[in-house]
Amino acid sequence: MPSELEIAMESLIKVFHRYASKEGRSGTLSRRELRELMENELTNFLRSQKDPAAVDKIMRDLDTNGDGQVDFEEFVSLVVGLSIACEQCYQTTVAIKPT
């Protein structure tokens, strides 16, 4: 039976490939595919963004090799960054929670 972490990793891989296989090159996200993934899978994150060009800026930051696509390795850096930010919020929430 897979562990909770193994299930989370499999879910991350499946979500990436579900969107990466929609158009263009299989195994990478186009700008449109990244936007769709973020709108559907990171709804709360996008809702908290005040900048309407947030996805475009994220795309530029993620596309480290400059090919106009986001591969899985580049995508994982987004997930890691968001996870770090969420964990910091979690620590703050836990620290102020009354016992």
Side-chain angles (χ1 to χ4, degrees), residues 17-35:
H17 285 285
R18 182 179 324 124
Y19 291 90
S21 65
K22 291 189 174 215
E23 64 180 49
R25 293 179 7 206
S26 179
T28 62
L29 296 167
S30 66
R31 186 180 133 321
R32 183 182 309 168
E33 289 167 331
L34 178 64
R35 177 177 295 285

Side-chain angles (χ1 to χ4, degrees), residues 22-99:
K22 291 189 174 215
E23 64 180 49
R25 293 179 7 206
S26 179
T28 62
L29 296 167
S30 66
R31 186 180 133 321
R32 183 182 309 168
E33 289 167 331
L34 178 64
R35 177 177 295 285
E36 185 178 348
L37 183 151
M38 292 184 73
E39 287 173 351
N40 293 328
E41 307 294 337
L42 296 168
T43 308
N44 293 327
F45 169 74
L46 276 186
R47 197 178 359 235
S48 70
Q49 296 301 305
K50 305 286 189 248
D51 185 355
V55 174
D56 293 330
K57 289 178 183 177
I58 290 168
M59 178 76 178
R60 281 193 302 274
D61 290 343
L62 292 178
D63 185 18
T64 56
N65 65 3
D67 68 353
Q69 302 284 313
V70 174
D71 62 26
F72 185 74
E73 187 175 331
E74 292 166 329
F75 171 72
V76 168
S77 66
L78 170 67
V79 175
V80 168
L82 290 175
S83 297
I84 290 169
C86 290
E87 194 275 338
Q88 290 168 350
C89 291
Y90 173 80
Q91 289 296 333
T92 303
T93 303
V94 171
I96 61 172
K97 210 179 227 184
T99 54

